[in-house]
Amino acid sequence: MTEKHIVLEDIDPMAFHGVNNGHLQMLKSLYPKLRIVARGNVIKLLGDEEEMSRFEEHAELIRRHLLRYNVINVEDIIDLYHGGKTKADAVKGVVAYSVSGRPIKSRSENQQRLIDEFEHNDMLFAIGPAGTGKTYLSITLAVRALKEKAAKRIILSRPAVEAGEKLGFLPGDMKDKIDPYLQPLYDALEDMLPQARLQDMMEKHVIQIAPLAFMRGRTLSDAVVILDEAQNTTPAQIRMFLTRMGWNTKMIITGDTSQIDLPKTQKSGLIEALHILKDVEGIGIVELTKKDIVRHRLVTRIVNAYEQHDASTASNEK
């Protein structure tokens, strides 16, 4: 009797097995000549060699489906068994899928421009107000590149401008102190990768999240590197960051020039970089506007109200 082991290395085994091993039970009914035993991320097969070969091909299709869509159901498993496409394959224009299987795609013309510019440039600036999806889409593109093996790792960074003297008073070690500034990046990643898989990638440094100060002296190769909230960098900081770029690397720099938290006497590095680099070949710049806001409708109204207030204040100061 032939015996083989299949190791599920890059997907969530629970998603493969199904709730209460429902998917596994379905597979057992499809392959009656095999004894199928699952232990964690290892599937042991015993039985007919020809049927075992068919099961391996089927399991690989399921693995690829889960790697792309994060979820699978019994109908998908049967469709793949018969060599057909699943319903998810019919959805057009999708960048990636959330952990719940929700398709993530552009929701405005400028968001689509962001996606297109990423494909055609090694460095991309995505500028726009809060809620336009610039950070979320950037991380989605990075996760897709990682899954498609176009990149070996993802590196995410943010300046912690509020740090300074306050950082020392926060409880915990350095990671505990900086995590609050990086939480939006964690949130986006948790929406796209199963928790166990994300934790494993972070432990293996396939996904790295660090404050901007930790970038000094590094050469970042074979990666998608994202600098978020870049409006809060100084000219020296953003220059240091941009020159970390190594071979086979793409960089995305996001920011909102209307929300600069630096001291009023300090110039924003993002604004300076946009001016200096606007005509450099290989660098794309996408400006998102209020029309691209995809959060609650009140966010657009809030942005409008603050813009009117800023304009009124500037007029009164003249």
Side-chain angles (χ1 to χ4, degrees), residues 212 215 225 227 237-244 251:
L212 182 59
M215 295 294 109
V225 187
L227 175 61
Q237 284 175 329
I238 200 165
R239 183 173 182 174
M240 176 275 292
F241 175 83
L242 297 178
T243 54
R244 300 305 92 202
M251 278 189 169

Side-chain angles (χ1 to χ4, degrees), residues 55-120:
F55 180 93
E56 285 184 287
E57 292 176 4
H58 191 190
E60 175 61 15
L61 292 174
I62 295 172
R63 186 194 70 82
R64 291 180 185 176
H65 183 99
L66 281 170
L67 199 59
R68 176 162 172 73
Y69 304 116
N70 290 313
V71 295
I72 195 166
N73 57 42
V74 170
E75 290 77 14
D76 292 331
I77 291 172
I78 294 172
D79 286 341
L80 293 172
Y81 175 76
H82 292 295
K85 290 187 175 182
T86 64
K87 291 180 181 178
D89 293 323
V91 181
K92 303 296 183 184
V94 176
V95 180
Y97 287 79
S98 72
V99 290
S100 63
R102 173 179 56 84
I104 301 169
K105 57 199 303 188
S106 63
R107 297 172 63 180
S108 71
E109 184 177 338
N110 283 329
Q111 283 193 355
Q112 186 58 49
R113 276 194 63 224
L114 190 159
I115 295 167
D116 294 340
E117 289 290 327
F118 177 79
E119 298 297 328
H120 297 107

